[in-house]
Amino acid sequence: MTAMTLNSVNFGAAKAVNFEYVGLKVHQNITGARPHSVKFVPRALTVNAGEAQGGGPVKKLGKSDEECEAAVVAGIVPEAPPVPPKPAAPAGTPLATPLPLSRRPRRNRRSPVLRAAFQETSISPANLVYPLFIHEGEEDTPIGAMPGCYRLGWRHGLVEEVAKARDVGVNSIVLFPKVPDALTTSTGDEAYNDNGLVPRTIRLLKDKYPDLIIYTDVALDPYSSDGHDGIVREDGVILNDETVHQLCKQAVSQARAGADVVSPSDMMDGRVGAIRAALDAEGFQHVSIMSYTAKYASSFYGPFREALDSNPRFGDKKTYQMNPANYREALIETHEDEAEGADILLVKPGLPYLDIIRLLRDNSSLPVAAYQVSGEYSMIKAGGALKMIDEERVMMESLMCLRRAGADIILTYFALQAARCMCGEKR
Ligand code: PBG
């Protein structure tokens, strides 16, 4: 009950879900979080006898401090309520001698106020980045494996979705394009078409929402007729340096359109340094690089590849994405990305890779991002739809756990839904 009260005071609406342990911070720029359910009644100046018993202040008799003290010294002590009786345990509870424990950690967990006071991690809409799929169409096309996600029309559905996110304090997005098949080639040159889907969309969004932070994906897969993140040689080898050349042009084209953070997700070697140099050479010193530092060759990307129809036409991505069995290798990538000038280090996927998030957090001073990927999203959605888990609670817990592991920001398809929860909105 107290938890509910806290929640409604902070976020303006009572909710069925107890987020007391989540410790949500009020976000300054949340426009949708009006405390409409909380009425601030001015303190009454006079108190009647009935109220005095009910917990309000006791009626004043006009005595001075000295008179009050003298009365107590003389043994005339004002009444206060007795200590409540010890609550009874159920019949049959064994009589046990108290264990001689010097430390009982449950003491700090015994009330919502104490739990909130000692909560170590918090999460707010400001920590979330909302990945959005866009296409050339006017309608929004549902993505079968990702309930609630759509390929959004870049001039229609997308603009509305961004407005909804901003309403609850999510002002950062990352764009993933579905480009027409006819524009894909083996060298992915559409990736740096200044009038391509992504640059056009960036310009539109920046025109409407100048303070929106736009992250872009830097990789060739949406533009590659092979569905790979790099250029494929005839023997199937993914060319590294030639791909980096294309990625630099892609990043510059995105920056030119107004991207705030370019995010190489391709896992080619040396691309962060090369992209930094290319951006700087073109006058984009202010554009940040979020490097997919530790991106694993994961089966959790399945629904995403359906969303963009970006499954590799042959083979897999194991010659560039990391082996899920590897831990130390993430440190090699971290040191490279730091040296090459990355501004943010990203770990992907999220929940199955909490140890890697912690590893980066402990070994770098740079901000760490976690990507809660499509498969993680879909599993929670499916479990919720089948009533096997409480979708909303599992969603909030998974995001909190990513923060606890050390993520500063989280890329998540739940960004809008989670931010609405944090704002006390139920949809
Ligand atoms: C590709 C890219 C992928 C994702 C983001 N960028 C897929 C891949 O590497 O095949 C996956 C995101 C997700 O699964 O949510 N550049």
Side-chain angles (χ1 to χ4, degrees):
M1 186 56 226
T2 318
M4 299 275 289
T5 313
L6 278 175
N7 192 45
S8 58
V9 168
N10 287 340
F11 298 108
K15 273 184 54 60
V17 180
N18 178 357
F19 281 121
E20 162 244 320
Y21 75 97
V22 174
L24 306 162
K25 271 196 308 206
V26 183
H27 187 258
Q28 295 302 319
N29 300 325
I30 295 169
T31 52
R34 285 175 301 272
H36 43 76
S37 70
V38 184
K39 289 215 177 66
F40 293 100
V41 184
R43 218 174 243 249
L45 293 174
T46 54
V47 181
N48 62 35
E51 267 184 75
Q53 259 112 57
V58 173
K59 188 177 180 183
K60 288 181 185 170
L61 298 172
K63 288 192 197 167
S64 68
D65 293 358
E66 289 77 11
E67 287 170 323
C68 291
E69 286 197 352
V72 172
V73 172
I76 308 158
V77 182
E79 266 189 46
V83 173
K86 203 174 166 195
T93 302
L95 260 184
T97 349
L99 295 170
L101 303 180
S102 65
R103 202 160 288 293
R104 287 182 183 260
R106 288 185 58 191
R107 278 196 284 263
N108 286 347
R109 296 180 208 135
R110 73 187 186 279
S111 88
V113 177
L114 288 170
R115 289 195 290 276
F118 304 128
Q119 179 160 317
E120 300 173 33
T121 309
S122 65
I123 187 167
S124 94
N127 303 122
L128 305 179
V129 179
Y130 194 12
L132 295 168
F133 301 109
I134 51 172
H135 71 157
E136 297 284 4
E138 296 190 346
E139 302 300 327
D140 302 334
T141 315
I143 298 165
M146 299 177 71
C149 291
Y150 300 80
R151 284 181 191 171
L152 300 164
W154 70 283
R155 280 186 295 182
H156 303 92
L158 172 70
V159 179
E160 285 164 32
E161 195 70 8
V162 170
K164 287 181 203 162
R166 286 163 60 86
D167 268 353
V168 286
V170 176
N171 212 357
S172 302
I173 61 157
V174 53
L175 293 172
F176 291 104
K178 163 70 185 109
V179 304
D181 288 338
L183 293 179
T184 64
T185 58
S186 52
T187 46
D189 300 282
E190 176 65 12
Y192 53 86
N193 173 0
D194 280 339
N195 212 24
L197 178 55
V198 168
R200 239 185 294 133
T201 303
I202 296 171
R203 299 198 308 264
L204 176 74
L205 289 176
K206 280 287 177 179
D207 183 61
K208 284 199 188 300
Y209 312 115
D211 63 331
L212 177 73
I213 293 295
I214 303 180
Y215 293 67
T216 56
D217 193 60
V218 180
L220 295 186
D221 53 327
Y223 311 93
S224 153
S225 43
D226 300 308
H228 274 285
D229 290 19
I231 300 174
V232 187
R233 206 166 61 185
E234 64 177 2
D235 60 355
V237 167
I238 313 293
L239 297 173
N240 193 90
D241 302 13
E242 295 78 355
T243 298
V244 170
H245 179 88
Q246 299 290 73
L247 299 177
C248 288
K249 289 168 120 178
Q250 182 181 19
V252 166
S253 170
Q254 294 168 344
R256 200 177 285 130
D260 298 280
V261 186
V262 297
S263 325
S265 69
D266 55 288
M267 290 303 280
M268 297 301 121
D269 293 331
R271 89 281 207 212
V272 171
I275 290 172
R276 183 72 273 159
L279 290 172
D280 291 353
E282 297 287 331
F284 298 113
Q285 279 82 3
H286 56 283
V287 172
S288 315
I289 299 177
M290 176 169 76
S291 174
Y292 284 59
T293 298
K295 178 174 179 178
Y296 287 86
S298 170
S299 301
F300 285 94
Y301 307 150
F304 175 98
R305 292 181 188 170
E306 180 205 313
L308 294 187
D309 192 19
S310 66
N311 259 304
R313 304 286 173 261
F314 65 90
D316 50 41
K317 299 192 173 186
K318 290 180 184 169
T319 68
Y320 44 108
Q321 299 180 351
M322 287 169 59
N323 180 347
N326 290 1
Y327 178 81
R328 295 192 314 269
E329 197 181 343
L331 268 187
I332 299 178
E333 292 283 2
T334 301
H335 294 144
E336 281 307 312
D337 284 354
E338 275 206 323
E340 291 177 33
D343 299 285
I344 307 164
L345 307 176
L346 184 143
V347 175
K348 178 182 177 178
L351 221 49
Y353 294 80
L354 293 182
D355 55 333
I356 308 298
I357 297 172
R358 172 52 54 191
L359 179 72
L360 267 62
R361 168 75 298 134
D362 289 344
N363 286 280
S364 173
S365 306
L366 289 172
V368 173
Y371 198 145
Q372 181 177 54
V373 300
S374 55
E376 300 175 68
Y377 171 85
S378 299
M379 288 195 306
I380 296 173
K381 280 284 176 190
L386 292 172
K387 305 244 179 297
M388 290 176 172
I389 56 170
D390 181 324
E391 175 183 321
E392 205 164 271
R393 288 180 187 224
V394 172
M395 165 185 78
M396 292 309 297
E397 186 177 328
S398 66
L399 296 172
M400 183 61 82
C401 293
L402 291 165
R403 292 269 300 149
R404 190 202 60 230
D408 297 287
I409 57 170
I410 303 170
L411 285 72
T412 174
Y413 303 98
F414 281 122
L416 176 58
Q417 194 182 343
R420 281 177 172 165
C421 268
M422 295 176 204
C423 295
E425 285 182 36
K426 181 94 182 160
R427 297 283 161 118

